[in-house]
Amino acid sequence: MATKLLVLFAICRLIIIVGLTLNPNNLFSVEINGHLTVDPDAIKSVSTDFGKMTHSEPTAVLRPTSVSDISNIIKYSYESSHGFAVSARGHGHSINGQSQTANGVIIEMMGVNKFPPQVNEDMMYVDVWGGELWIDVLESTLKRELAPKSWTDYLYLTVGGTLSNAGISGQAFHHGPQISNVHEMDVVTGKGDIVTCSIDKKPELFHAVLGGLGQFGIITRARIALEPSPQRVRWIRVLYSNFSAFTHDQEYLISLHDQPQSQKFDYVEGFVIVDKGLINNWRSSFFSPKNPVKISSLKAGGNVLYCLEITKNYYDWSNPDSIDQEVEALLKKLNYVPASEFTTNLPYVDFLDRVHKAELKLRSKGLWDVPHPWLNLFVPKSRIDDFDKGVFKGILGNKTSGPILIYPMNKNMWDDRSSVVIPDEDVFYLVALLRSALDNGEETLTLKHLSDENRKILKFCKESQIKVKQYLPHYRTQEDWMEHYGDKWPQIYRRKMEFDPRRILATGQKIFEPSFASDIRSW
């Protein structure tokens, strides 16, 4: 009798699991003009991301040819008895599987038939498809001698992808993040509704989606603010051995954001050098290999140096003497290591596309498609010295396996109505540990070692009560997400229930568990 009950229980359990698993045949009943496929190669191509640390297979992949395709597949899930997860995937540059989903549908936003960027010269904006790469946006606007105001360091990312996070680079101190430079969007919500939103029209959805990690809707069109494009850039790097001098100068430079163009730099970033030996790495190849710079040659008071990276934009017709004078006047107010100044001039587009050139070099050496245990933190200004002592001069030791960015931003350039959370101080820093795990026999470069270091850094911040916020955040429990959002959590929850009540969208973020009981294997 007991044996029969066990068999019956097993059969019932199997029926439940199979019954609640998405049947791909049902998907083909949805009205789709694009390409919906369950081909194993297509599934495999979207089952990993740039991080190379997670693997999650969807049931199907949709390559839409219209917004209606996206709307119809989401609406089908929303209205069906069980439902299934839907995630938008751009360039797949997420780190911890945020753009993946299991037993659901991945919508490939990049490389499909779409409308080309539409530039409005009079109103100074460009309308672009959510899956458009920023490099293609730039090429389109440069034809009209215009360019977006705010960037990310890497241009081979999609518009919808960066706007779902924030989109930051060295221009953020002046123009704010990319999400502060959007006029309007078309969004497909978790109900399948196609909604046009802006600050004045459907503002709740507009602010929810910006920095919303894909939780409230899929961006299919964004209207991006433009400015006249410079033709050339004066690119300068100077070195510091004193962290306080380094941060003082960075904070001074970003305080000039409202000054006339001639009295400020256009871009302010920095990076930390903790490796022994040469300063060059894949992102800092600015320094000439013919004239290598070693930490020991600068007589630093330890194993750590800091590099300030700044630019001055100008035009082909600009007076070179005037540019020289403006740069010299600004540099005189800085306290970097004497004789450490390196300067170059290059076309504006070459500066913006600098990381891609480094990518091509790494790809040629087989060093790009490796695990990337990145950690990106917003650190309040009041605790950046403590972070330096505990992390840069403590936890990291003498190996980094990749660049470490550090630069400040002005809080007043961020709109608090968006879904992004940042430290509650007027100035805060991005600290981005962009490390690559290598299997070359060196223990300090392994994925396990770098992942352990990331955990140590987060533990150090928590125990030291440094109220950091993760950028490109990654948590595994809703409790952790609630702590991340803090006072914003009730707003985030309310927005989710309004725009994606069945929790269909972006389940790879692991913020909300879907309301349907599908076999979501990535949870």
Side-chain angles (χ1 to χ4, degrees):
M1 182 67 180
T3 302
K4 290 182 179 180
L5 287 174
L6 287 173
V7 172
L8 181 62
F9 174 78
I11 293 174
C12 291
R13 180 173 175 79
L14 180 62
I15 291 173
I16 291 172
I17 292 174
V18 173
L20 294 180
T21 299
L22 175 61
N23 185 343
N25 292 326
N26 295 337
L27 292 174
F28 291 101
S29 66
V30 183
E31 184 179 346
I32 297 292
N33 294 318
H35 183 57
L36 182 68
T37 180
V38 293
D39 177 73
D41 289 338
I43 297 294
K44 182 180 179 181
S45 69
V46 300
S47 296
T48 56
D49 58 14
F50 179 71
K52 297 288 187 296
M53 294 183 292
T54 65
H55 182 87
S56 186
E57 292 189 0
T59 298
V61 178
L62 171 63
R63 297 178 180 127
T65 56
S66 67
V67 177
S68 295
D69 287 348
I70 299 172
S71 171
N72 289 346
I73 201 73
I74 294 176
K75 190 169 292 185
Y76 179 78
S77 174
Y78 177 67
E79 294 177 350
S80 66
S81 58
H82 297 305
F84 52 87
V86 178
S87 290
R89 186 181 193 273
H91 201 196
H93 218 262
S94 58
I95 305 302
N96 293 286
Q98 291 95 329
S99 61
Q100 298 172 24
T101 189
N103 192 36
V105 175
I106 293 291
I107 301 178
E108 283 200 296
M109 298 294 291
M110 193 182 80
V112 298
N113 294 328
K114 57 197 181 300
F115 63 85
Q118 302 291 321
V119 178
N120 188 314
E121 295 180 69
D122 294 331
M123 301 300 291
M124 299 286 281
Y125 66 73
V126 59
D127 282 320
V128 296
W129 169 250
E132 194 80 58
L133 291 176
W134 281 103
I135 183 65
D136 296 327
V137 176
L138 176 62
E139 290 176 355
S140 297
T141 60
L142 285 178
K143 293 176 182 177
R144 310 294 181 87
E145 298 185 346
L146 299 171
K149 298 178 179 180
S150 188
W151 294 99
T152 58
D153 286 337
Y154 183 56
L155 302 189
Y156 286 74
L157 304 172
T158 60
V159 170
T162 65
L163 295 185
S164 294
N165 288 283
I168 54 175
S169 184
Q171 303 90 356
F173 80 94
H174 180 42
H175 295 294
Q178 289 182 316
I179 59 173
S180 294
N181 295 275
V182 180
H183 295 316
E184 183 180 276
M185 294 182 294
D186 288 341
V187 173
V188 181
T189 71
K191 300 176 183 179
D193 298 331
I194 302 172
V195 182
T196 298
C197 56
S198 66
I199 291 177
D200 301 315
K201 182 189 296 183
K202 306 290 184 181
E204 187 71 15
L205 178 62
F206 180 76
H207 295 302
V209 169
L210 293 174
L213 304 178
Q215 291 298 306
F216 313 104
I218 294 175
I219 300 169
T220 57
R221 177 185 65 90
R223 180 166 290 177
I224 309 298
L226 302 176
E227 66 178 356
S229 172
Q231 278 80 50
R232 298 192 64 79
V233 169
R234 178 77 57 85
W235 187 10
I236 304 158
R237 282 180 173 171
V238 292
L239 300 174
Y240 294 74
S241 59
N242 183 284
F243 186 70
S244 295
F246 170 69
T247 55
H248 176 273
D249 284 357
Q250 281 196 318
E251 291 164 17
Y252 165 70
L253 291 175
I254 72 165
S255 73
L256 304 176
H257 68 89
D258 58 354
Q259 296 299 307
Q261 196 70 23
S262 62
Q263 298 177 26
K264 63 187 175 186
F265 285 115
D266 297 285
Y267 161 101
V268 176
E269 281 199 16
F271 54 90
V272 182
I273 307 157
V274 302
D275 295 271
K276 291 182 178 179
L278 297 182
I279 287 174
N280 284 337
N281 58 41
W282 69 261
R283 195 181 181 278
S284 61
S285 56
F286 178 92
F287 298 109
S288 172
K290 297 180 181 178
N291 184 28
V293 179
K294 293 189 176 182
I295 290 178
S296 58
S297 69
L298 296 173
K299 299 180 180 179
N303 292 324
V304 182
L305 283 176
Y306 312 93
C307 180
L308 173 63
E309 185 175 59
I310 44 186
T311 69
K312 169 70 77 170
N313 297 340
Y314 63 99
Y315 300 87
D316 287 338
W317 59 83
S318 299
N319 185 327
D321 292 336
S322 297
I323 299 298
D324 290 343
Q325 291 170 10
E326 292 172 12
V327 169
E328 184 178 356
L330 285 164
L331 289 178
K332 279 184 177 179
K333 298 180 180 180
L334 307 182
N335 295 295
Y336 52 88
V337 175
S340 70
E341 180 184 332
F342 292 79
T343 303
T344 189
N345 292 274
L346 72 168
Y348 182 62
V349 66
D350 287 357
F351 171 73
L352 292 180
D353 199 32
R354 63 200 180 280
V355 176
H356 179 59
K357 294 180 179 179
E359 173 196 345
L360 295 177
K361 293 180 181 178
L362 286 182
R363 283 189 181 278
S364 68
K365 299 176 181 178
L367 297 175
W368 184 258
D369 292 320
V370 298
H372 297 97
W374 287 8
L375 179 64
N376 297 270
L377 301 174
F378 288 144
V379 183
K381 169 190 169 181
S382 65
R383 302 301 303 277
I384 196 65
D385 285 341
D386 297 319
F387 192 93
D388 170 59
K389 294 169 186 173
V391 178
F392 301 148
K393 294 187 176 79
I395 294 172
L396 293 183
N398 293 321
K399 290 290 183 181
T400 62
S401 185
I404 303 172
L405 306 187
I406 173 171
Y407 57 91
M409 288 172 279
N410 295 309
K411 183 183 179 184
N412 62 5
M413 293 296 173
W414 294 64
D415 192 329
D416 188 55
R417 294 171 293 182
S418 78
S419 293
V420 178
V421 285
I422 56 178
D424 189 21
E425 293 191 9
D426 292 340
V427 172
F428 61 93
Y429 281 79
L430 171 75
V431 176
L433 293 95
L434 310 181
R435 280 102 65 82
S436 301
L438 304 176
D439 186 16
N440 63 358
E442 191 166 346
E443 193 276 332
T444 58
L445 302 181
T446 63
L447 177 59
K448 180 182 184 305
H449 180 86
L450 296 175
S451 299
D452 287 345
E453 275 192 345
N454 287 344
R455 284 188 283 271
K456 289 177 183 177
I457 291 169
L458 292 172
K459 182 180 179 182
F460 164 75
C461 290
K462 188 168 187 177
E463 292 178 347
S464 301
Q465 297 185 330
I466 302 176
K467 296 181 180 179
V468 300
K469 293 294 182 182
Q470 285 193 35
Y471 177 59
L472 313 178
H474 169 61
Y475 301 100
R476 293 193 173 276
T477 68
Q478 191 173 81
E479 290 73 20
D480 288 336
W481 280 107
M482 292 172 69
E483 183 178 350
H484 169 75
Y485 281 111
D487 293 341
K488 261 190 177 180
W489 175 253
Q491 180 188 64
I492 295 296
Y493 183 84
R494 175 177 53 79
R495 287 173 169 177
K496 185 69 171 179
M497 295 306 103
E498 179 177 357
F499 301 119
D500 183 23
R502 295 199 69 186
R503 284 85 83 190
I504 290 167
L505 300 176
T507 57
Q509 295 280 2
K510 297 181 174 60
I511 304 176
F512 296 95
E513 186 169 359
S515 63
F516 43 87
S518 298
D519 178 23
I520 305 296
R521 293 184 299 277
S522 60
W523 277 76

